[in-house]
């Protein structure tokens, strides 16, 4: 062990305190960085309006149905429903909303739409997985105490997007980084050769 | 509060990508601001920090608040959103003088080697000067503002979340440019006299007023989407349009008038102007090429996990490790019991879920986030200790077997057995594997000295050793000077109270995590407390070829290269074994060959994919590489050096695969544990409710995450390959030639990984089929759903 000077303990203590303060600061920063990653893991696909499919009046309600993505494609589709009272246009907040999608062949996909699943909390959303492209019949039923409404319509579902288009951002990342790295190296070399010329 | 209003205010939608970028920016700014404030408290006061953070908050308010949620239904909400992005956030951010704090907040090496060459580039400096020239800024702002308010483009943004995002980026970018000459953020210099900013702002306000007046006085709805949208606040579409125009006119104009007033006052006050110029003169104008030089050096000492309160204290206690090992032993015994005597369907048995879904997922996640902590908590250590106590443990491990060849062979056999016998779906076999794992270390370490089992045999250990090469933590010394003065070498020899490293790793010469079990014996043995669990740049130890304690030079270790290659290709083969097209191919081959069992087909494909293909590819790369470098370097050195560089890519595939199973199947442990407890007559956990197991949402973000992991693996591998190539060749052109074949191999593996990610996978262990939330093949998930 190296020799210890007198009063070195105070200095060590100060260094430790300083280091601890620095560590706490670092933890806060790491927390800031970690938060979005955790949020990403907890994130849920939520409906957010999109293409307006239906706008109908039935019973005491005015029913508007949206679908996202626009156009709807095979795979998960957000169906969002806005139920408004016909009398005053207020949004109905405590209704039971069921969405049914029927294919001509008889296949039916059913989902309960909730406000919790929606980003726009006035809307009721359901995430439905549609396996086939083509024309689907859409039926939305809304029930609230004694009142009920039903909206019917059609939804055209397109084929899924090629995955290269769907994930182009993630897939292009290596190209972007490699290009930036190449430019970085080129700039470094150029700066070095200039420095050599100057000297 | 009115329930409708309350509901509207609850409509926040955290867009994690935006949030990640903003939080990262804030973190960098805070770090840099803290450092700058210590040396220049006057220039970087709290006001600057508050201004910057307010600007970021304004962006968040615009993008993540109910304003965005209702932007598609109400033009007024949309207009307020634009106002925040154009008029409020940019000047606040620029007033925070973000340039220096953000640069100062970057890690020194990133600033110097990453950003430095760009900042020093004359071409980019010229571009920056032109871009911040006031007429250019003004024109950019006006063009962007007018273009995006044109009905065609506005409708495009309303229809497509992607274009809506582009619109916001354009607004923010153009507004930052526009406000740049007005705010003149430190340390930039004014290109025009300050008074010239008054007409500059006035002309912009004129454009804003004209646009607002058009919206107010036009007698038809300009944007058809709002005409069709349901009315929420008893506002007709035209009334909504008028309200939006009023928002644009009044608060918008105020946003121009305030700086105009301030600039007028500033121009009239000569004293203020002088002091301002003095302040600017005091500040050093940081020339980008010297951006790194004025800053003091970063943190020379690494961050030590052992210095963290609670965690560090726990890790320093040997009893803590023993407690964790006992907990793992308890879990292992539960797995064995349920595997042997429980329900024999894999997804309903703890032996079918805990080891294959949870343990593997958690191991790779901990390797990514920290290091080889499974070996630290290894339950088989108890068997080793018992073996040493009850058996002689006096022989040395045979010299011929002192390499990684045996471990590599065992690993290959294990990977084959996993595919051939569907181990994940066989609780009974899983239980016997765990039992075998207790017996093997008992016998081996009971007969041979040292940690022969861990170092030369254990397939799990070899997996962890190799993957932890890219972990951010490493057991290493803090201060080399203390080791130079040390004469006792307790870290390897041990002392009266603590044994030294059983794997023969001498800390001063140890480099990287290869062969390190994180047992922390060296930490406890070191009398100077000079060994810690230090933070390192992940993968940095792969780039050099210095002598490593107990390993030598990795460029001469063919066995280590073979082990790494096995794990790299094994990652892709293991994932491919779970996808539909491979299963279909196996069935097709079985039919064509008229075989009764799939085993020969699976085995043949496995040998082809894990042994033959890698061998051919690696030999080809080595031969091409050697030819390109003119035969100056041996084939062995080239192959070993570059093969190890592939480790990050292999790890990313393991992570993408195993983390996927963990994330999608983690909740299944609840009914499985309930079932196991009920079988034992314990009703405390309740009855398993299989059909009503909480349904997971459709994880549309998971493929994106998997691709991002593969991106990270590919980029790390390419970088390590580049560094290896630079090490082997003094000339850049020569290095590029050496790099080319290996970069091609890495790209090929990456493409294979991406293809695998998009194939329908067997969703083993998932019981979450509920109406409206069905599991779907990953290929049908689209990222646009998130918007």
């Amino acid at each position: 062990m190296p020799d210890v000077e007198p009063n070195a303990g105070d200095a060590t203590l100060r260094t430790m305190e300083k280091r601890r303060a620095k560590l706490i600061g670092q933890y806060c920063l790491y927390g800031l960085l970690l938060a979005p990653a955790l949020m990403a893991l907890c994130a849920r696909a939520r409906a957010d309006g999109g293409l307006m499919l239906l706008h109908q009046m039935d019973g005491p309600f005015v029913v508007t149905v949206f679908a996202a993505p626009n156009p709807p494609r095979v795979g998960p589709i957000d169906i969002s429903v806005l139920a408004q009272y016909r009398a005053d246009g207020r949004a109905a907040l405590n209704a039971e909303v069921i969405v049914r999608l029927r294919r001509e062949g008889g296949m039916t996909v059913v989902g309960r739409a909730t406000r919790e699943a929606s980003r726009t909390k006035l809307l009721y959303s359901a995430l439905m997985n549609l396996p086939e492209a083509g024309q689907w019949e859409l039926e939305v039923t809304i029930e609230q105490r004694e009142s009920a409404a039903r909206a019917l319509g059609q939804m055209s579902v397109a084929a899924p997007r090629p995955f290269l288009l769907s994930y182009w951002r993630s897939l292009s990342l290596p190209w972007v980084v490699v290009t930036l790295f190449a430019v970085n190296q080129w700039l470094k070399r150029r700066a070095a050769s200039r420095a050599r010329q100057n000297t | 509060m009115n329930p409708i209003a309350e509901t509207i205010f609850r409509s926040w939608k955290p867009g994690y990508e935006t949030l990640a970028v903003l939080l990262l920016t804030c973190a960098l700014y805070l770090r840099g601001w803290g450092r700058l404030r210590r040396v220049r408290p006057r220039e970087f006061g709290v006001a600057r920090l508050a201004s910057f953070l307010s600007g970021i908050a304004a962006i968040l308010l615009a993008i993540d608040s109910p304003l965005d949620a209702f932007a598609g239904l109400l033009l007024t909400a949309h207009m307020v959103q634009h106002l925040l992005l154009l008029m409020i956030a940019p000047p606040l951010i620029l007033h925070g003088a973000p340039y220096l704090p953000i640069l100062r907040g970057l890690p020194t090496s990133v600033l110097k080697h990453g950003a430095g060459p760009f900042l020093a580039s004359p071409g980019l400096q010229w571009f920056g000067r032109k871009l911040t020239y006031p007429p250019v800024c003004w024109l950019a702002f006006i063009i962007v503002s007018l273009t995006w308010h044109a009905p065609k483009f506005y409708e495009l943004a309303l229809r497509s979340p992607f274009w809506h995002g582009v619109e916001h980026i354009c607004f923010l970018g153009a507004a930052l440019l526009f406000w740049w000459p007005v705010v003149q953020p430190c340390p930039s210099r004014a290109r025009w006299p300050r008074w010239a900013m008054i007409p500059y702002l006035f002309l912009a306000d004129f454009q804003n007023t004209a646009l607002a007046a058009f919206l107010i006085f036009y007698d038809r709805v300009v944007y058809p989407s709002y005409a069709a949208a349901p009315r929420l606040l008893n506002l007709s579409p035209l009334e909504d349009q008028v309200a939006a125009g009023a928002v644009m006119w009044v608060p918008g104009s105020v946003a121009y008038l305030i700086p105009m007033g301030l600039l007028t006052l500033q121009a009239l006050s000569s004293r203020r102007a002088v002091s301002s110029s003095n302040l600017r003169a005091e500040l050093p104008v940081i020339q980008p090429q010297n951006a790194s030089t004025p800053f003091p050096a970063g943190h020379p000492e690494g961050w030590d996990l052992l210095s963290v309160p609670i965690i560090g204290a726990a890790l320093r206690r040997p009893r803590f490790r023993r407690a964790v090992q006992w907990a793992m032993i308890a879990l292992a015994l539960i797995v064995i019991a349920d595997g042997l005597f429980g329900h024999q369907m894999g997804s309903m048995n703890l032996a079918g879920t805990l080891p294959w879904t949870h343990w593997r997922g958690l191991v790779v996640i901990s390797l990514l986030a920290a290091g080889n902590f499974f070996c630290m908590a290894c339950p088989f250590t108890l068997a080793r200790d018992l073996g040493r106590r009850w058996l002689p443990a006096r022989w040395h491990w045979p010299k011929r077997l002192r390499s990684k060849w045996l471990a590599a062979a065992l690993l290959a056999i294990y990977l084959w057995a996993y595919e051939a016998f569907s181990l994940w779906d066989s609780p009974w076999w899983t239980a016997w594997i765990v039992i075998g794992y207790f017996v093997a270390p008992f016998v081996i370490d009971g007969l041979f000295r040292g940690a022969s089992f861990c170092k030369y045999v254990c397939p799990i250990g070899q997996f962890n050793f190799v993957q932890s090469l890219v972990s951010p933590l490493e057991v290493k010394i803090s201060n080399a000077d203390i080791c130079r003065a040390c004469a006792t070498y307790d870290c390897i020899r041990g002392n009266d109270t603590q044994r030294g490293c059983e794997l023969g790793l001498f800390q001063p010469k140890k480099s990287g995590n290869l062969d390190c079990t994180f047992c922390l014996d060296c930490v406890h043995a070191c009398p100077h407390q000079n060994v810690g669990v230090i933070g390192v740049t992940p993968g940095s130890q792969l780039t050099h070829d210095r002598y490593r304690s107990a390993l030598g030079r990795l460029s001469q270790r063919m066995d280590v290269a073979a082990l790494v290659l096995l794990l790299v290709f094994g990652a892709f083969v293991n994932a491919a074994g779970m996808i539909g097209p491979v299963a279909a191919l196996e069935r097709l081959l079985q039919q064509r060959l008229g075989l009764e069992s799939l085993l020969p087909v699976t085995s043949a494909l496995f040998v082809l994919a894990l042994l033959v293909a890698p061998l051919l590819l690696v030999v080809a790369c080595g031969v091409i590489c050697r030819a390109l470098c003119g035969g100056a370097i041996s084939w062995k050195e080239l192959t070993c050096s570059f093969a190890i560089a592939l480790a990050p890519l292999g790890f990313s595939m393991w992570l993408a695969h195993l983390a996927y199973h963990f994330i999608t199947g983690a909740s299944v442990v609840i009914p499985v544990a309930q079932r196991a407890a009920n079988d034992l007559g314990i009703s405390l956990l309740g009855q398993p409710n299989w059909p009503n197991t909480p349904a997971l949402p459709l994880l549309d973000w998971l493929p994106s995450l998997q691709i991002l992991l593969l991106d990270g693996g590919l980029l790390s591998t390419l970088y390590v390959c580049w560094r290896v190539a630079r090490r082997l060749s003094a000339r850049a052109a020569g290095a590029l030639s050496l790099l080319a074949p290996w970069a091609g191999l890495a790209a090929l593996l990456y493409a294979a990984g991406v293809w695998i990610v998009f194939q329908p996978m067997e969703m083993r262990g998932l019981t979450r089929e509920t109406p409206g939330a069905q599991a779907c093949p990953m290929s049908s998930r689209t990222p646009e759903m998130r918007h």
Side-chain angles (χ1 to χ4, degrees):
Chain A
M1 284 281 278
D3 292 337
V4 179
E5 290 176 14
N7 297 327
D10 294 344
T12 311
L13 197 65
R14 274 200 297 278
T15 313
M16 282 175 69
E17 278 173 359
K18 209 171 166 185
R19 202 168 170 184
R20 183 171 291 178
K22 200 187 282 181
L23 273 175
I24 290 168
Q26 278 180 348
Y27 296 151
C28 295
L29 285 175
Y30 293 144
L32 273 177
L33 296 178
L34 199 64
L38 291 175
M39 289 185 64
L41 290 176
C42 302
R44 296 178 57 151
R46 286 182 176 177
D48 188 25
L51 173 72
M52 199 165 85
L53 290 175
L54 286 178
H55 185 71
Q56 291 180 5
M57 293 181 200
D58 190 58
F61 297 112
V62 180
V63 184
T64 314
V65 183
F66 303 90
N70 183 9
R73 291 181 182 276
V74 169
I77 293 175
D78 289 325
I79 304 286
S80 299
V81 179
L82 175 66
Q84 291 171 284
Y85 295 113
R86 199 192 284 209
D88 54 8
R90 275 187 306 117
L93 298 181
N94 301 311
E96 183 76 14
V97 179
I98 303 291
V99 180
R100 282 187 189 81
L101 286 161
R102 271 191 219 95
R103 186 89 170 96
E104 280 177 8
M107 183 190 293
T108 304
V109 181
V110 185
R112 182 169 167 263
T114 61
R115 287 200 295 128
E116 286 70 35
S118 176
R119 282 175 180 163
T120 311
K121 297 296 177 196
L122 293 180
L123 272 61
Y124 296 81
S125 296
L127 198 57
M128 324 270 289
N129 184 31
L130 297 192
E132 282 179 25
Q135 206 68 17
W136 288 72
E137 281 177 21
L138 170 69
E139 181 191 350
V140 176
T141 54
I142 298 168
E143 288 179 17
Q144 192 184 38
R145 295 188 202 99
E146 305 300 311
S147 319
R150 186 160 165 257
L152 292 169
Q154 296 280 322
M155 183 170 73
S156 179
V157 177
R161 270 177 112 184
F163 82 90
L164 282 178
L165 278 178
S166 297
Y167 294 94
W168 66 270
R169 281 188 298 181
S170 310
L171 291 169
S172 60
L173 183 68
W175 298 97
V176 173
V177 176
V178 168
T179 308
L180 282 174
F181 183 74
V183 174
N184 173 293
Q185 294 295 306
W186 176 71
L187 289 171
K188 262 186 180 175
R189 287 189 65 196
R190 210 174 61 153
S193 69
R194 277 187 182 169
R196 272 199 302 275
Q197 279 173 3
N198 290 340
T199 53
Chain B
M1 191 189 274
N2 178 342
I4 297 286
E6 192 185 338
T7 310
I8 290 173
F9 283 118
R10 277 179 50 220
S11 297
W12 286 79
K13 55 162 197 177
Y16 64 85
E17 286 170 347
T18 319
L19 206 55
V21 172
L22 293 180
L23 284 177
L24 181 67
T25 313
C26 282
L28 289 177
Y29 184 93
L30 277 170
R31 191 171 186 233
W33 177 83
R35 288 178 175 184
L36 287 168
R37 188 172 161 74
R38 279 196 286 277
V39 288
R40 298 186 181 281
R42 200 155 61 92
E43 290 87 343
F44 291 92
V46 179
R48 283 213 192 278
L49 175 70
S51 175
F52 182 81
L53 294 180
S54 306
I56 296 291
I59 294 177
L60 267 181
L61 190 68
I63 291 174
D64 282 353
S65 76
L67 286 175
D68 192 56
F70 289 93
L73 301 173
L74 280 171
L75 179 58
T76 313
H78 207 163
M79 206 51 82
V80 175
Q81 187 183 31
H82 289 178
L83 195 73
L84 285 167
L85 289 173
L86 287 166
M87 316 283 190
I88 310 296
L92 285 171
I93 288 174
L94 292 175
H95 187 252
Y99 181 73
L100 282 182
I102 287 178
L103 281 184
R104 191 69 184 88
L106 287 169
T108 312
S109 59
V110 174
L111 178 63
K112 194 174 173 186
H113 302 295
F118 290 103
L119 297 172
S121 159
L124 287 175
Q125 286 176 0
W126 174 86
F127 181 71
R129 280 196 298 274
K130 294 293 172 198
L131 198 66
T132 52
Y133 191 54
V136 175
C137 298
W138 190 90
L139 265 179
F141 182 74
I142 300 299
I143 289 170
V144 164
S145 183
L146 286 177
T147 306
W148 278 110
H149 282 98
K152 194 176 177 184
F153 293 105
Y154 206 94
E155 284 291 319
L156 177 69
L158 284 174
R159 277 199 307 273
S160 156
F162 170 76
W163 285 111
H164 200 191
V166 172
E167 181 195 41
H168 288 166
I169 290 170
C170 287
F171 277 160
L172 193 63
L176 282 169
L177 276 183
F178 174 79
W179 290 102
W180 184 280
V182 178
V183 180
Q184 211 63 68
C186 168
S188 67
R189 285 182 170 172
R191 312 282 292 279
W192 276 10
R194 297 298 288 157
W195 63 262
M197 289 302 108
I198 297 168
Y200 176 93
L201 286 164
F202 178 77
L203 287 172
D205 187 28
F206 181 75
Q207 170 268 335
N208 180 66
T209 307
L211 202 56
F214 176 74
L215 287 176
I216 290 172
F217 297 116
Y218 195 57
D219 58 355
R220 274 181 287 175
V221 178
V222 179
Y223 307 117
S225 287
Y226 291 110
R231 307 320 310 161
L232 284 175
L233 301 176
N234 286 328
L235 278 177
S236 71
L238 215 50
E239 288 168 340
D240 182 28
Q241 185 171 298
V242 170
V247 166
M248 199 176 185
W249 198 331
V250 181
S253 290
V254 169
Y256 293 111
L257 288 172
I258 290 173
M260 270 199 271
L262 289 173
L263 284 166
T264 310
L265 284 174
Q266 199 177 354
L268 293 173
S269 162
S270 56
R271 183 172 157 270
R272 190 177 175 84
V274 168
S275 75
S276 174
S277 64
N278 283 347
L279 170 66
R280 217 172 291 284
E282 275 177 31
L283 277 173
V285 178
I286 304 280
Q287 293 299 325
Q289 59 265 41
N290 298 327
S292 62
T293 49
F295 305 139
H299 303 286
E301 76 279 12
W303 176 82
D304 187 356
L305 182 69
L306 299 182
S307 66
V308 177
I310 303 171
I311 298 174
L315 288 173
R316 281 185 185 279
R317 288 171 186 265
R319 281 183 187 176
F320 171 76
R321 189 186 174 209
R322 191 55 89 187
V324 178
Q325 284 172 346
W326 276 109
M328 292 295 286
I329 286 170
L331 280 175
L333 292 176
I334 290 170
V335 164
I336 291 170
D338 204 33
L340 292 178
F341 308 113
H343 196 289
Q344 285 303 304
M345 183 185 275
S347 57
M348 292 178 73
N349 193 298
L350 286 170
T353 53
L354 279 183
W356 302 115
T357 304
H358 297 80
W359 170 73
R360 289 196 308 173
L362 288 170
V363 163
V364 288
I365 290 169
S366 76
L367 283 164
L368 175 75
N372 184 6
F373 280 90
F374 171 74
C375 283
M376 176 192 275
C378 178
F380 312 117
T381 307
L382 178 79
R384 290 178 55 213
D385 292 345
L386 286 178
R388 277 181 223 173
R389 191 172 293 179
W390 294 345
L391 297 174
R394 63 180 175 204
W395 291 287
H396 290 285
W397 186 253
K399 273 190 181 175
R400 282 169 184 267
L401 295 178
R402 286 183 196 171
S403 66
K404 299 290 182 190
W405 289 113
L406 176 64
L410 288 172
L411 198 59
I413 291 170
Y414 156 73
L415 290 173
W416 165 77
Y418 180 85
E419 299 299 336
F421 302 112
S422 304
L423 293 181
W424 68 88
D425 202 25
S426 173
W428 194 82
W429 272 114
T430 304
W432 276 109
I433 288 171
V434 180
I435 292 170
Y437 241 108
F438 276 105
V439 174
F442 175 81
V443 174
I444 291 171
D445 282 0
L447 297 176
F448 300 99
R449 289 181 178 181
S452 304
F453 177 75
C454 301
K455 195 173 174 77
Y456 302 115
V457 182
C458 180
I460 297 175
Q462 307 310 316
F463 177 90
N464 292 340
F465 293 157
V466 170
Q467 311 308 346
S468 62
L469 284 169
V470 288
S471 292
L473 292 175
E474 184 185 333
V475 178
K476 62 185 284 193
I477 56 169
S478 304
N479 189 340
D481 292 335
I482 293 176
C483 288
R484 276 189 211 107
C486 177
T488 54
Y489 308 135
D490 297 45
C491 60
I492 189 160
R493 287 180 183 162
N495 50 42
D496 293 340
T497 54
Q498 176 64 52
R499 69 185 171 202
C501 181
E502 288 188 297
L503 287 101
L505 298 170
F506 180 46
Q507 276 300 329
K509 292 193 175 178
K510 175 179 174 287
S511 178
N513 283 326
L514 210 57
D515 274 7
C516 179
T517 60
F518 269 56
C519 64
L520 304 189
D521 284 347
C522 51
V523 172
H524 303 136
C526 178
H528 314 294
Q529 299 200 344
N530 192 38
V531 185
V533 184
I534 310 284
V536 292
T537 307
S540 57
Q541 302 302 323
L542 293 169
T543 56
H544 73 76
D545 191 33
R546 289 193 291 274
Y547 176 84
R548 296 165 201 248
S549 175
L551 289 159
R553 291 182 196 284
L554 292 186
S555 65
Q556 303 301 322
R557 292 288 302 265
M558 205 52 158
D559 55 330
V560 175
L563 180 69
V564 172
L565 285 172
L566 188 77
L567 283 166
V568 170
F569 283 85
F572 293 87
V573 171
N574 192 255
M578 306 290 284
I579 60 173
V582 172
L585 177 68
E586 285 178 341
R587 283 194 295 274
L588 183 74
L589 287 173
Q590 186 193 10
Q591 276 181 354
R592 291 271 168 90
L593 298 170
L595 297 169
E596 286 186 3
S597 163
L598 262 180
L599 185 64
V601 177
T602 307
S603 302
L605 283 178
F606 180 83
V607 169
L608 197 69
L610 193 70
L611 301 176
V612 178
L615 196 68
L616 291 176
L617 285 167
V618 169
V619 167
C621 285
V623 169
I624 294 169
C625 209
R626 184 148 197 264
L628 289 171
C629 74
I633 308 163
S634 73
W635 178 86
K636 182 183 172 186
E637 185 178 351
L638 283 170
T639 307
C640 291
S641 300
F642 282 105
I644 289 162
L646 294 171
L649 185 56
F651 179 59
S652 68
M653 189 66 226
W654 282 113
L655 194 64
H657 174 199
L658 301 181
Y660 170 81
H661 283 306
F662 177 69
I663 292 168
T664 54
S667 67
V668 92
V669 75
I670 297 166
V672 175
Q674 288 171 325
R675 200 262 327 135
N678 277 289
D679 284 0
L680 293 171
I682 302 167
S683 56
L684 195 69
L685 299 179
Q687 293 295 320
N689 198 351
W690 301 102
N692 294 330
T693 301
L696 286 175
L698 287 170
L699 303 172
D700 61 309
W701 49 270
L702 203 47
S704 293
L705 180 70
Q706 288 177 298
I707 298 174
L708 281 177
L709 290 171
L710 286 171
D711 287 348
L714 174 70
L715 291 170
S716 306
T717 284
L718 289 178
Y719 181 68
V720 175
C721 282
W722 169 249
R723 293 288 301 271
V724 170
R726 288 295 282 162
R727 193 183 77 216
L728 296 171
S729 170
R731 288 174 53 247
L736 274 176
S737 311
L738 290 177
L739 173 72
W742 297 97
L745 179 59
L748 192 70
L749 286 170
Y750 170 79
V754 171
W755 179 76
I756 289 167
V757 163
F758 285 102
Q759 301 311 309
M761 294 182 81
E762 291 181 25
M763 310 286 272
R764 179 172 53 84
L766 297 184
T767 55
R768 56 188 180 86
E769 300 284 326
T770 55
Q774 301 94 331
C776 63
M778 290 157 68
S779 53
S780 67
R781 293 174 186 158
T782 55
E784 69 218 52
M785 296 294 303
R786 272 202 306 275
H787 299 292

